[in-house]
Amino acid sequence: MVYYEKEDGSRIKSPRVRATNVTGIKDVVAESTSEPTFDIKDYVFDLSGRKVNPQNLSPGIYIRNGRKFLVR
């Protein structure tokens, strides 16, 4: 059994837990960034799903814009 206290100080036995003083997040503030936003189409991924630098691709198969391409 679980016990919880009422506002008058008395304790009550209950099979359920009653949360009376719950705290949480009230506001979320996002900081603005001056970095440009990129679309997912601008990225190149390897077959493991890792983002790679498109300027320095070694030979292999990559994915860009949802399509596979080959670098020889």
Side-chain angles (χ1 to χ4, degrees), residues 4-65:
Y4 69 92
E5 282 192 31
K6 290 174 57 175
E7 292 177 5
D8 63 358
S10 62
R11 289 175 40 149
I12 295 178
K13 189 188 308 184
S14 172
R16 292 182 281 158
V17 176
R18 181 175 176 193
T20 56
N21 295 327
V22 178
T23 61
I25 299 172
K26 295 183 185 209
D27 294 327
V28 176
V29 179
E31 296 179 12
S32 63
T33 61
S34 60
E35 297 177 16
T37 57
F38 292 103
D39 192 14
I40 192 72
K41 296 177 183 176
D42 297 330
Y43 294 119
V44 176
F45 299 92
D46 63 5
L47 292 179
S48 297
R50 296 175 294 202
K51 199 171 5 174
V52 295
N53 182 358
Q55 307 299 326
N56 188 19
L57 295 177
S58 58
I61 300 172
Y62 298 93
I63 301 171
R64 179 177 40 212
N65 296 332

